[in-house]
Amino acid sequence: MSDAIAQQTARPLSLTGLFLKFLRFGALAFGGPITQIAMLRQALVEEERWIEPTRFNRLLAVLQVLPGPEAHELCVHLGIIARGRIGGILAGLAFMLPGFLLMLAAGWAYTRWIAGEPSVAGVLLGVQIAMLAIILRAVVRIGQHVISDRWLALVAGASLIATLAGLPFWLPLVAGGLAYALASRPVPALAIVLIGAVLAVLLYPASAPVVGTTAAPNAGASAAALFLTGLKGGLLTFGGAYTAIPYIRTGTVGRGWIDDATFLDGLAIASVLPAPLVIFATFAGYVAGGVTGALAITAGMFLPAFAFSLILFEKLEAIVENPALHRLLAGVAAAVIGVITATFVQLTQATAEHIAQPWVAFALFTAALILVWRVKGLWVTPAIVAGSAVLGHAIAL
């Protein structure tokens, strides 16, 4: 345990005490990463003084550059400060446990009583339209932070086009990151772009855009494939949990294991639970592969959040101070904006196929978008979800 924590407590914090402390944080983790980080800051920086405010701010800046849910990564890092790496593991597990268990229960209830029921189809369609508005707002919000110059805007635009064309997810990310990192050297940057274009031509026939599919739950959904899907999402979550959406969707909807409607339902449920929003992966994994699938995809999603702190604890801040790495990660983040924008377009197309009253649906989408854009507070997302559910019957086929 660090000297700072030892000075603030009458006796060393036990591992059980550490686990219970972060379990409480996890049970109160409503409202998204900003609210969750504020809660951690208030309790552990201002009240208990586990870490100096300036170091906390520097650590937060580092974690925002790296992929993964920042609030969860903070818990792991703070747990290491308190009781070493075992403390980091316990803190991270405790913080995610309430949301994970609640999402497991939600997935069980959904598959048992809700999925495929005609009586609730309209309700869920309204919720799905509201989630599209929430995703669009997230894309704009994240983009405002990530896209800071015209070159990053070009990277995002090229990534959008490449994703809609059905190219593999890694191509725009690699090309965008390298091109922006080498932007001050025109010849290598141009070479990267040309290589990317050649690969696009060669790979296009073997690729296809992910479109809405009919779900086939538990039909060939292997634990290994779901783990890799979660790992892909965890490694590519730049700028917020919404950036994991396209990668989890590709690994579940793209394989025909769930459909887009179910995927959006999982996002809606996750948005009102006390957990990092990436917990929606647990829902997708449960519907696709039962409890085993849920455990596998969740392990993959959260593994990077543990690994960055556990493996690089002493060197984390120094590594991210490298300017070249900053530009590479900025390019990748811009490419992710293009990918998630393309996913929004594809989800909108899939949802539109089930709408009988497009003008009513458009009005619902617009109202939800205005509300999420202009109003702040913990109650906004639950209110949007509830209101959209009530109006959903008017737009269903």
Side-chain angles (χ1 to χ4, degrees), residues 286-323:
Y286 185 91
V287 176
V291 174
T292 301
L295 289 169
I297 199 170
T298 305
M301 173 63 77
F302 283 91
L303 181 60
F306 282 98
F308 281 122
S309 286
L310 292 174
I311 298 174
L312 303 174
F313 176 71
E314 292 84 1
K315 301 179 179 179
L316 200 56
E317 296 177 26
I319 290 174
V320 183
E321 287 299 318
N322 188 324

Side-chain angles (χ1 to χ4, degrees), residues 25-157:
F25 290 146
L28 299 174
F30 294 96
I34 295 176
T35 304
Q36 293 163 5
I37 291 169
M39 174 180 62
L40 294 170
R41 184 196 301 270
Q42 175 69 27
L44 302 181
V45 179
E46 298 178 10
E47 296 178 3
E48 300 185 28
R49 301 182 183 178
W50 282 35
I51 183 174
E52 291 295 324
T54 54
R55 186 183 174 195
F56 181 90
N57 293 337
R58 186 169 66 250
L59 173 62
L60 180 59
V62 169
L63 296 178
Q64 287 175 333
V65 173
L66 296 174
E70 301 98 323
H72 182 266
E73 289 174 328
L74 270 174
C75 289
V76 175
H77 204 89
L78 292 168
I80 294 174
I81 291 175
R83 289 300 304 266
R85 284 175 167 77
I86 185 63
I89 294 173
L90 290 175
L93 288 174
F95 186 72
M96 62 177 285
L97 187 59
F100 172 73
L101 294 177
L102 287 171
M103 187 55 92
L104 270 184
W108 175 81
Y110 183 91
T111 55
R112 185 176 179 86
W113 291 309
I114 298 176
E117 288 293 327
S119 60
V120 298
V123 171
L124 296 177
L125 184 58
V127 172
Q128 291 154 18
I129 291 172
M131 283 309 305
L132 290 174
I134 294 170
I135 293 172
L136 179 58
R137 176 65 183 109
V139 171
V140 175
R141 177 178 58 82
I142 298 167
Q144 288 173 335
H145 289 90
V146 170
I147 301 174
S148 56
D149 59 46
R150 63 186 181 189
W151 301 112
L152 289 173
L154 286 173
V155 169

Side-chain angles (χ1 to χ4, degrees), residues 191-216:
I192 293 295
V193 173
L194 291 176
I195 292 171
V198 170
L199 286 174
V201 172
L202 294 175
L203 294 172
Y204 181 79
S207 306
V210 178
V211 294
T213 60
T214 301

